[in-house]
């Protein structure tokens, strides 16, 4: 499902703010937040560069920062991410039973949205212009770093 960019809410804005923080730190501008009962319980951004990590994508960082939660909390949460989730992040979404993912954009990178949907996850794509421009600009400026991030 694609939602018009004008319908962006404060939670997607929080994910964008995380992405911008990552960019300001010299990293890859992808941000994510996890929302439970209308409250952000975890927020994060891609910190592979900053931490020298193989796995700290934005979604993984948000999960890490949400900390250990009862399984029911994740099954009642929504994950917001500025970019379509990769296979690793999609696996974590499925593992924790997160039922809905709201994606900022999938024009610069199409992750595992079909796989998530096939496993019962509702995926809504905003095609938020700020997310598209942020990633397009980054990919143009840092193609080698982007390719490393997605395993190319």
């Amino acid at each position: 499902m694609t939602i018009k960019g004008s319908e962006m809410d404060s939670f997607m804005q929080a994910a964008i703010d995380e992405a911008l923080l990552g960019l300001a730190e010299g990293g890859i501008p992808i941000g994510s937040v996890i929302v439970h009962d209308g409250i952000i319980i975890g927020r994060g951004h891609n910190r592979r560069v900053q931490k020298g990590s193989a796995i700290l994508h934005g979604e993984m960082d948000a999960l890490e920062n949400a900390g250990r939660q009862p399984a029911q909390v994740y099954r009642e949460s929504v994950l917001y991410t500025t970019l379509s989730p990769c296979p690793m992040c999609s696996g974590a979404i499925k593992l924790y039973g997160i039922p809905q993912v709201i994606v900022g954009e999938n024009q610069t990178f199409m992750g595992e949205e079909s796989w998530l949907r096939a496993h019962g996850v509702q995926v809504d794509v905003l095609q938020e212009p700020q997310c598209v421009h942020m990633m397009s600009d980054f990919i143009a400026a840092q193609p080698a770093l982007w390719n490393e991030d997605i395993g190319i």
Side-chain angles (χ1 to χ4, degrees):
M1 172 182 213
T2 300
I3 300 171
K4 300 277 190 258
S6 62
E7 296 179 30
M8 183 181 71
D9 64 23
S10 63
F11 298 127
M12 181 53 69
Q13 186 59 58
I16 291 170
D17 292 345
E18 285 291 324
L20 292 170
L21 179 58
L23 184 62
E25 294 171 352
I28 299 165
I30 303 168
S32 183
V33 297
I34 301 168
V35 178
H36 179 259
D37 282 340
I39 298 169
I40 295 174
I41 62 168
R43 59 177 60 233
H45 52 275
N46 187 306
R47 295 191 306 152
R48 289 186 64 252
V49 172
Q50 299 92 311
K51 295 283 187 177
S53 171
I55 62 168
L56 275 182
H57 283 190
E59 300 90 337
M60 301 298 279
D61 194 39
L63 282 163
E64 177 68 15
N65 291 326
R68 188 173 166 200
Q69 299 287 334
Q72 188 64 30
V73 169
Y74 287 117
R75 288 193 302 260
E76 297 170 347
S77 294
V78 177
L79 185 141
Y80 289 74
T81 181
T82 58
L83 187 64
S84 186
C86 75
M88 174 179 65
C89 296
S90 295
I93 290 163
K94 171 68 173 116
L95 176 68
Y96 289 102
I98 296 171
Q100 183 180 14
V101 177
I102 299 179
V103 176
E105 67 99 353
N106 63 8
Q107 294 177 18
T108 60
F109 176 78
M110 175 58 79
E112 296 300 317
E113 293 173 25
S114 294
W115 184 85
L116 285 167
R117 288 183 182 108
H119 286 86
V121 177
Q122 179 182 335
V123 179
D124 300 310
V125 182
L126 302 178
Q127 299 304 8
E128 173 57 41
Q130 186 176 0
C131 293
V132 175
H133 295 299
M134 185 168 44
M135 281 310 301
S136 296
D137 292 349
F138 179 80
I139 292 167
Q142 299 277 352
L145 185 55
W146 171 242
N147 288 340
E148 174 191 324
D149 195 63
I150 58 173
I152 295 177

